[in-house]
Amino acid sequence: MSEPMRRSIEKLIAWKLALTQADPVATTHLLSRNSDSRFAKNTTVTMPAVFGHIDAYETNCPGDARMQLLPALRKGAARLQGDAKLLAHEKDRRSRRQADGAG
């Protein structure tokens, strides 16, 4: 995968999960709603917050190479979320200083 493509995917993951304040490297609990997945209906499973469809469904998808990239993509997305939080915090501090007349 090219570097620009990898960065784009990391940015997309970071943005999408930030909408719900989800951590890209965390796990989550999901409820299987049907037996079409790898899990019986009404089974609660623990999954990574970012997972491939092959993790949840039986598939012949040839995505093994991309699946191997998921750990690095999760980490990259988490780093971007952390950077965004730091930038937002600094911007907020500057705004408060300006509001206080400290310029």
Side-chain angles (χ1 to χ4, degrees), residues 56-97:
Y57 290 91
E58 298 288 344
T59 178
N60 291 325
C61 176
D64 290 339
R66 297 295 184 253
M67 290 297 294
Q68 293 174 9
L69 296 174
L70 280 179
L73 293 170
R74 288 181 192 112
K75 288 178 186 175
R79 186 189 73 254
L80 289 170
Q81 282 185 342
D83 291 349
K85 288 176 186 174
L86 289 173
L87 290 171
H89 178 70
E90 181 58 31
K91 182 178 177 185
D92 184 52
R93 285 181 46 207
R94 282 194 308 265
S95 295
R96 278 187 270 142
R97 280 196 312 262

Side-chain angles (χ1 to χ4, degrees), residues 18-80:
L19 295 174
T20 58
Q21 299 177 345
D23 181 348
V25 295
T27 57
T28 189
H29 303 285
L30 300 174
L31 176 64
S32 177
R33 297 284 187 185
N34 59 57
S35 294
D36 294 335
S37 73
R38 290 184 179 269
F39 310 102
K41 184 178 181 176
N42 295 324
T43 301
T44 300
V45 295
T46 302
M47 300 283 285
V50 177
F51 63 92
H53 65 273
I54 197 168
D55 291 327
Y57 290 91
E58 298 288 344
T59 178
N60 291 325
C61 176
D64 290 339
R66 297 295 184 253
M67 290 297 294
Q68 293 174 9
L69 296 174
L70 280 179
L73 293 170
R74 288 181 192 112
K75 288 178 186 175
R79 186 189 73 254
L80 289 170

